[in-house]
Amino acid sequence: MEDRLKEDIIASGRFGREPEHPVDAFEKLDPDKGVTRPTGSSANMKTRTYAVEKMKEAGLDVRVDAVGNIFGRKDGINPDAGAVMCGSHLDSVINGGQFDGALGVFSAIEAVRRLEDEGYKNMRPIEVVVFTGEEGSAFGITLLGSSTLIGKISYEEAFARRDPKGRTLQEALEYMEYKGDFFMDLDTVAYFVELHIEQGPVLFNEKIPVGIVENIAGIAWIYATIKGVGNHAGTTPMKMRRDALSAAADIVKYVEKRANEMVDRLGSATVGTVGKLNVYPNGTNIVPGRVELGIDIRDVVSENMESLKQDVSAALKDLEQKYGVSVDITIPTTHSPEPLFKEVIDVIEKSAREANIRSMRMNSGAGHDSQNIAKRVKTGMIFVPSVGGISHAPTEWTEWGDIENGVQVLTRTLRNLTQIPEGKVLENNDSVQGSV
Ligand code: GLV
Ligand code: MN
Ligand code: MN
C-alpha cells in the first residue's frame, strides 16, 4: 500500500495514548490502554491539527464551522455542481482504538491525493469532512456535529452542552481553536461516502474484504439517576435500606433479558446495553445513595427500538415502588435507523468490482454520522474488517492490507461519483428503505 495512509494512521494514533507513542502492529497494542480523545481534549485537538495539515498539503481549502466540523474542499471542473463529501470523525470513545473514525478521515485525504497523482480532474467538487463529537464520549449525545449540521439540534443547544468537567461545547471548541464561522449548506452537496471499520465480526469471519452498508441501526440512549439513601453499611438493617445500586442492578439485568427476548421472539437485531454506571459515593462500607446509568438501545427497525426504550423506561419507574427510591430519566436526541441510498451502494459495488475486490452488502450495528447526513444527501458507507470483530476497545485493529483494499474502493467511488453529470436521473434514486 501507499505508505502515506499507513503513516497518517500511525502518526495520529499516538494522540490519546498514555504515554503518547505510535503503534504499527496488532502485537504492539496494550490490551488495557487504548486511545482516549473525547471532543475538546488536547488529544482531540492534536489529531484535528494533524489532519488539517494533511488536508492543506493535499491542496484542500480548509474551513471550520461553528460546532467545529472541518471541511476541506477540492474544487471541481464544474464548481457549482453538487459536491461529493467524504470523511468521518476524529474523536474517540474512552479507551478505544486508532481506526474508529480516523480511518475514514485519513482515507478520504489519501483518496484525494491518489486522484491528484493520477492527474484525474473531478467534475464535481470534493469536500473532505471531519465531524465533531461523533462518539458522545464528552458531551452526552452521539453524532453531535452532524446533528447540528442537519438541523436536528440547534446551535444553541449544541454550544450549551457540558462535558464531565463542566465545560460547555463552546468553551471546548474555543480551547481547541476549532470554533469557526463557516457554514456548510448541505444543498450544495450531492453525495456523501464514509469509509469505516466494521466494528463487528461479519467481514472478518466471512473473510470478505469490503462491506457495503444498506442500513444503519438507530441509537437511543437513556440516562437515569436513581436516588436512594446513602447510609452506614454496618448499621443500616437490611429491611430499612433504600439502596440505589441494588435497584440499578435490576435494570442492568432487565435490559439484557428484554433485548434477548426480543431477539428470540422477533429474530431482530435488537441490542441493549448498560454501558455506564456511576455509583455514589462508591465506598465499600456505604449503602449506595445514588447511581447514574447510561443505557444504549439499538435496532435497524424503529418500532423495536422504541418498544425496548419504552419497556426500559417503565422498568426504571417501577423501581420507585419496589425499592423506595426516586428515578429521573433523561432521553437525549434519539437517532433513527437509516437506510442508505441504492444509487451510492451501486456505485460502491461497481467500484469494488473494478478494483477486483470482493464485497458484500450488510447492515451497520454501530452508529455513524452517515445516518444523519443520509437525511439530506445521498449517502453510502464502505466497511473494512475489524480483527476479531473488536472495536470501542484497546485491541481494535484492522490489517493494513484491508485498509489498502478499502481506500482503493473509496478512491474509485470518489472518481465514479464525481463524474456523474449534474441533474442526471439515475434508474433508482431511492434509498434501500423496505429491505430491512
Ligand atoms: C458510535 O460509534 C456508536 O456506534 O456508538
Ligand atoms: Mn466511528
Ligand atoms: Mn465509535
Side-chain angles (χ1 to χ4, degrees):
M1 73 183 281
E2 301 257 6
D3 280 340
R4 293 179 298 209
L5 175 56
K6 182 174 173 181
E7 266 174 41
D8 286 343
I9 299 214
I10 295 169
S12 62
R14 288 172 297 164
F15 306 129
R17 283 189 203 282
E18 205 45 67
E20 238 174 50
H21 65 283
V23 175
D24 60 0
F26 178 79
E27 299 70 37
K28 297 186 192 163
L29 288 169
D30 179 337
D32 296 321
K33 278 205 237 160
V35 167
T36 299
R37 42 170 110 114
T39 302
S41 61
S42 76
N44 182 223
M45 176 173 68
K46 286 181 194 172
T47 321
R48 284 168 169 263
T49 300
Y50 180 89
V52 165
E53 219 169 85
K54 294 294 155 184
M55 282 182 178
K56 287 184 176 161
E57 278 171 28
L60 299 172
D61 175 25
V62 176
R63 298 93 84 222
V64 179
D65 79 5
V67 287
N69 294 317
I70 305 169
F71 302 90
R73 184 179 181 89
K74 178 175 165 59
D75 245 328
I77 296 169
N78 178 356
D80 298 324
V84 179
M85 194 162 80
C86 181
S88 192
H89 61 97
L90 292 174
D91 62 314
S92 83
V93 292
I94 311 297
N95 223 8
Q98 67 186 7
F99 302 92
D100 180 355
L103 178 63
V105 171
F106 291 109
S107 297
I109 298 171
E110 174 62 11
V112 168
R113 293 187 294 226
R114 289 187 185 192
L115 291 174
E116 186 68 28
D117 291 349
E118 289 168 15
Y120 172 71
K121 298 275 175 264
N122 45 304
M123 191 280 290
R124 292 174 181 274
I126 297 174
E127 288 279 1
V128 173
V129 62
V130 178
F131 292 109
T132 293
E134 191 269 358
E135 298 287 7
S137 43
F139 289 93
I141 64 165
T142 54
L143 317 183
L144 180 56
S146 57
S147 293
T148 317
L149 189 59
I150 64 163
K152 190 169 176 175
I153 62 170
S154 68
Y155 283 90
E156 291 66 37
E157 186 186 339
F159 295 147
R161 292 203 73 91
R162 287 184 190 272
D163 70 8
K165 293 182 192 140
R167 272 188 321 175
T168 61
L169 176 68
Q170 164 125 3
E171 288 161 353
L173 293 171
E174 282 163 359
Y175 159 74
M176 293 195 297
E177 299 184 3
Y178 278 96
K179 183 158 183 354
D181 53 13
F182 174 70
F183 175 73
M184 169 55 81
D185 178 0
L186 284 180
D187 287 343
T188 66
V189 179
Y191 300 100
F192 176 54
V193 198
E194 179 171 9
L195 184 147
H196 205 282
I197 52 169
E198 182 203 327
Q199 310 185 269
V202 177
L203 295 173
F204 184 76
N205 288 346
E206 303 278 332
K207 297 191 169 47
I208 302 218
V210 160
I212 304 171
V213 179
E214 291 189 300
N215 299 280
I216 304 178
I219 312 177
W221 277 5
I222 302 176
Y223 292 125
T225 302
I226 302 173
K227 285 198 191 115
V229 177
N231 209 339
H232 196 295
T235 61
T236 317
M238 294 311 288
K239 308 292 177 200
M240 291 176 63
R241 294 176 176 218
R242 286 198 259 158
D243 181 334
L245 182 56
S246 179
D250 271 18
I251 294 301
V252 175
K253 289 313 289 179
Y254 179 82
V255 170
E256 185 188 38
K257 181 172 136 270
R258 191 82 190 108
N260 264 307
E261 280 169 10
M262 289 180 67
V263 172
D264 292 342
R265 185 162 46 87
L266 308 168
S268 60
T270 318
V271 285
T273 310
V274 180
K276 186 170 183 179
L277 201 66
N278 294 326
V279 180
Y280 299 94
N282 211 20
T284 306
N285 55 0
I286 307 170
V287 177
R290 181 162 59 98
V291 170
E292 294 163 355
L293 297 104
I295 304 164
D296 178 300
I297 291 168
R298 307 188 187 208
D299 202 300
V300 284
V301 177
S302 221
E303 297 74 46
N304 296 346
M305 199 172 85
E306 283 305 314
S307 136
L308 184 54
K309 195 168 106 186
Q310 276 167 23
D311 288 350
V312 172
S313 302
L316 277 162
K317 275 293 167 196
D318 287 348
L319 298 175
E320 296 193 330
Q321 273 244 303
K322 190 169 169 199
Y323 291 94
V325 294
S326 67
V327 181
D328 285 326
I329 299 174
T330 330
I331 300 186
T333 310
T334 294
H335 301 291
S336 54
E338 205 62 40
L340 298 187
F341 285 74
K342 183 169 181 329
E343 185 183 332
V344 184
I345 290 170
D346 287 348
V347 170
I348 299 171
E349 209 158 56
K350 174 178 145 208
S351 304
R353 258 198 319 273
E354 284 171 4
N356 252 324
I357 293 170
R358 281 185 314 143
S359 68
M360 67 180 278
R361 294 185 179 206
M362 62 190 302
N363 289 336
S364 171
H368 299 287
D369 292 301
S370 282
Q371 71 203 92
N372 268 338
I373 302 304
K375 291 183 185 296
R376 294 280 306 276
V377 172
K378 291 173 187 170
T379 295
M381 282 194 83
I382 301 169
F383 273 178
V384 291
S386 293
V387 171
I390 304 284
S391 180
H392 282 189
T395 50
E396 171 188 292
W397 193 259
T398 293
E399 299 295 357
W400 300 116
D402 286 327
I403 288 177
E404 173 58 21
N405 286 328
V407 77
Q408 280 191 22
V409 174
L410 180 70
T411 307
R412 282 178 189 268
T413 300
L414 280 190
R415 175 189 265 275
N416 287 326
L417 287 174
T418 51
Q419 281 171 9
I420 296 174
E422 185 77 334
K424 179 171 176 201
V425 179
L426 288 126
E427 298 131 47
N428 191 336
N429 262 344
D430 294 331
S431 64
V432 292
Q433 197 141 27
S435 74
V436 180

